[in-house]
Amino acid sequence: MFEFFSEIRWEYLYDFDLAIESIPFLLEGLRVTMIIAGFSMVFALIIGIIVGIARMSKLAIFRLPAKFYISFMRGTPLLVFVFILYYGLPVIGIEFESSIVAAIVGVSFNFAAYLAEVVRSAISSVPKGQWEAAETLQMSYFQTLRRIIIPQATRIAVPPTFNIFMDVLKGTSLASVITVQELLYSGRLIAGRTYDSMTMYITVAIIYWLVSIVIGAIQSRLEVRYNRYLAKG
Amino acid sequence: MITVENLKKKFGDQVVLESINFSVNKGEVVCLVGASGSGKTTLLRCLNLLEEPSEGTLKIGDKKVEFGKQKLTKEDIKEIRQYSGMVFQSFNLFPHKTLMDNIIEAPITVQKRNKKEVLVEANEILEKVGLLEHKDKYPDALSGGQQQRAAIARSLMMHPEVLLFDEPTSALDPQLVREVLKVIEELAKEGQTMVIVTHEMNFARRIANRALFMDAGYILEEGPAEKVLTNPKEARTREFLALLEDE
């Protein structure tokens, strides 16, 4: 037991100088990560809302494709989907102009399925009486959805949506596999050159963590905003 | 104002309303009473098509619809609903809107009325139900009685020919029942046509012109409220009233 510990070379645990030196290079990678994550969150949310509402439709023509889409995306690994996009599609003549675009498409479409489920559960959790009250006030389906249901569903959807946004952020790291030079890929380049994998990957991990703390802070502010109409205590 | 003929409602195989016939005249207050499960709430909900009847006809205002022949169009439903407003047992105010925004929502988004004019009217109606000072509060900050009065105000803003009440005081603490009944009574005095599902027998005797006693999907007894609710013909009605007295 103690022998095991004595063999650990603690002095190599973390090389601050190397970490600080590599920050500018890593931030370049972070920029790409943020571009992929930012676009993916927006697209995933838009697609998720559309698919989520389609999933609840009474019409099978909307509901069934949405169901199929959600099932496929939730049932397959993101990495495999990205491979299909990036390595598979060129075989049939469809090529993305850059691997970043392929990454954005892959991440967006994959997480959209999870967001669609969030949208669906949030909308169904608004009490039926809200629909009925709006109906008796002669509001149309879309007026009700837009002015009564979605604002209430949004409050319910904020925490799970931000969980998914954090997964989107972390999911962008898979883009490194298709040679997108994002944060993880940048870390790998330095790790390969300096042979200090420990320092580099810890640094990379910390950067992801800091970004997700920011995402969490945005979540808290939104929660406060959307909860303001509830009585305190 | 309302004429219902041979109205039937089935949920699957279960018959909830069996050949209902009744009418409500303009300015009349009609109370629907009966045990839970007798079909009175379903009947009320059929009047604004929250439930679609399986058979029969419904005429309300100038609009007449027939059920069971062909599917109702959106237009039919819209026209029928123009004539009525509904007050629910559980209020169903919009929790994310202030009282004021709750009551001006439909006049502005549905009727596309001028906002200034709507606000003036909203202030008057809130004053009338005694909630003007709370107009900027969210429903969650109000008592049940206040919420129900706000819900009544919200319905009134649409100028319904008929107001439908589905057990408006059943979800309220006993001390809050009166303030809501007072508002309804006020409306009765003004000649507002109303159909009220209620268990408040004293209230019903006092304000209703007529009472319908429902039992197992039928209207078992119908007549002047005073008579049906004090000295009914039918044994079932007497039993029901006696049960309520016991409580």
Side-chain angles (χ1 to χ4, degrees):
Chain A
M1 182 78 182
F2 288 104
E3 235 166 278
F4 171 74
F5 274 111
S6 67
E7 275 172 27
I8 293 179
R9 290 172 295 168
W10 293 105
E11 66 274 21
Y12 291 126
L13 179 64
Y14 199 75
D15 180 346
F16 276 98
D17 293 336
L18 174 62
I20 292 192
E21 228 175 290
S22 43
I23 289 281
F25 189 71
L26 291 179
L27 288 185
E28 266 306 298
L30 177 63
R31 200 174 64 87
V32 177
T33 289
M34 293 308 283
I35 289 171
I36 302 173
F39 277 109
S40 298
M41 285 176 195
V42 173
F43 291 145
L45 195 57
I46 295 169
I47 301 165
I49 290 172
I50 295 169
V51 175
I53 290 175
R55 170 74 179 77
M56 299 177 74
S57 173
K58 279 181 208 153
L59 304 174
I61 185 171
F62 293 126
R63 192 180 62 243
L64 295 182
K67 224 173 148 175
F68 174 80
Y69 173 84
I70 293 168
S71 166
F72 177 78
M73 287 299 180
R74 292 211 307 172
T76 52
L78 172 56
L79 187 55
V80 174
F81 183 56
V82 169
F83 276 10
I84 293 174
L85 292 177
Y86 192 67
Y87 297 119
L89 287 185
V91 174
I92 60 165
I94 303 170
E95 218 157 320
F96 287 97
E97 52 186 280
S98 83
S99 49
I100 294 186
V101 175
I104 292 174
V105 171
V107 174
S108 306
F109 277 88
N110 193 270
F111 285 105
Y114 295 91
L115 284 169
E117 286 294 271
V118 168
V119 167
R120 181 171 73 99
S121 65
I123 288 180
S124 2
S125 68
V126 176
K128 205 169 137 246
Q130 293 289 306
W131 285 96
E132 291 189 343
E135 261 183 77
T136 60
L137 291 167
Q138 299 155 47
M139 295 175 77
S140 70
Y141 176 78
F142 279 107
Q143 282 172 340
T144 307
L145 205 55
R146 195 164 55 85
R147 304 197 46 95
I148 307 302
I149 306 301
I150 288 179
Q152 295 183 59
T154 306
R155 183 182 74 80
I156 298 161
V158 164
T161 298
F162 275 79
N163 276 339
I164 291 172
F165 280 174
M166 286 192 194
D167 283 342
V168 168
L169 171 71
K170 293 180 286 181
T172 58
S173 63
L174 292 177
S176 65
V177 182
I178 55 168
T179 70
V180 177
Q181 196 178 329
E182 40 67 82
L183 178 55
L184 177 57
Y185 194 89
S186 306
R188 256 169 73 191
L189 286 180
I190 303 179
R193 221 177 310 137
T194 61
Y195 301 106
D196 192 347
S197 296
M198 195 62 178
T199 298
M200 275 339 291
Y201 292 132
I202 288 181
T203 309
V204 165
I206 290 172
I207 295 174
Y208 277 116
W209 185 20
L210 291 176
V211 176
S212 66
I213 288 173
V214 173
I215 295 176
I218 298 172
Q219 171 184 349
S220 306
R221 291 191 60 165
L222 282 178
E223 282 181 30
V224 169
R225 208 175 106 195
Y226 280 108
N227 284 335
R228 69 172 186 264
Y229 61 76
L230 297 177
K232 321 228 160 16
Chain B
M1 177 60 39
I2 302 181
T3 311
V4 172
E5 278 167 1
N6 297 318
L7 193 93
K8 236 186 189 185
K9 172 70 187 171
K10 288 186 241 172
F11 289 114
D13 288 338
Q14 199 197 353
V15 181
V16 187
L17 294 176
E18 194 90 63
S19 189
I20 300 283
N21 290 285
F22 80 101
S23 60
V24 179
N25 299 320
K26 196 170 165 57
E28 217 179 8
V29 177
V30 174
C31 279
L32 291 175
V33 299
S36 37
S38 59
K40 54 196 192 309
T41 289
T42 305
L43 176 55
L44 192 78
R45 289 166 60 88
C46 281
L47 297 181
N48 63 7
L49 305 181
L50 279 180
E51 304 290 352
E52 192 177 328
S54 317
E55 281 173 44
T57 58
L58 166 65
K59 183 165 181 282
I60 173 164
D62 299 322
K63 178 71 186 173
K64 185 172 178 177
V65 277
E66 207 167 328
F67 308 106
K69 297 268 157 67
Q70 61 216 35
K71 228 177 132 25
L72 291 181
T73 64
K74 272 191 184 150
E75 277 308 304
D76 286 334
I77 297 176
K78 221 173 110 186
E79 280 182 61
I80 286 277
R81 287 198 181 134
Q82 272 175 16
Y83 291 101
S84 65
M86 178 121 173
V87 175
F88 298 88
Q89 184 175 351
S90 46
F91 333 130
N92 297 347
L93 290 174
F94 305 132
H96 60 301
K97 292 182 180 290
T98 61
L99 274 202
M100 184 51 97
D101 288 339
N102 258 280
I103 76 169
I104 66 174
E105 173 67 30
I108 289 174
T109 55
V110 177
Q111 296 177 328
K112 313 273 183 232
R113 285 167 57 194
N114 174 286
K115 186 167 176 181
K116 259 194 195 146
E117 180 198 304
V118 172
L119 281 172
V120 171
E121 192 189 346
N123 276 297
E124 286 167 16
I125 290 191
L126 283 177
E127 170 93 76
K128 186 167 139 186
V129 298
L131 290 172
L132 194 54
E133 55 180 322
H134 300 300
K135 67 178 174 159
D136 295 321
K137 291 189 181 163
Y138 288 98
D140 213 40
L142 301 176
S143 74
Q146 290 169 327
Q147 289 191 48
Q148 192 60 300
R149 284 185 278 144
I152 295 172
R154 184 175 65 176
S155 302
L156 288 174
M157 286 296 289
M158 300 296 277
H159 304 154
E161 304 265 345
V162 187
L163 255 186
L164 309 173
F165 290 85
D166 183 14
E167 303 197 25
T169 60
S170 296
L172 297 177
D173 291 337
Q175 75 273 20
L176 302 176
V177 169
R178 263 182 68 159
E179 62 185 62
V180 172
L181 295 184
K182 229 180 87 188
V183 170
I184 301 175
E185 205 163 344
E186 203 57 46
L187 292 173
K189 277 187 199 141
E190 290 170 16
Q192 171 76 48
T193 314
M194 297 189 275
V195 181
I196 308 174
V197 172
T198 184
H199 290 296
E200 298 287 336
M201 290 306 145
N202 288 327
F203 165 74
R205 275 180 209 114
R206 203 164 62 235
I207 77 154
N209 303 98
R210 271 189 304 138
L212 308 182
F213 176 75
M214 291 195 63
D215 186 56
Y218 289 94
I219 295 178
L220 193 67
E221 186 163 357
E222 175 182 358
E226 191 56 48
K227 179 158 186 315
V228 174
L229 302 177
T230 315
N231 191 13
K233 288 198 301 265
E234 303 287 336
R236 296 279 305 177
T237 318
R238 277 199 294 274
E239 263 168 52
F240 172 74
L241 291 174
L243 272 175
L244 285 188
E245 293 300 323
D246 282 350
E247 274 172 14

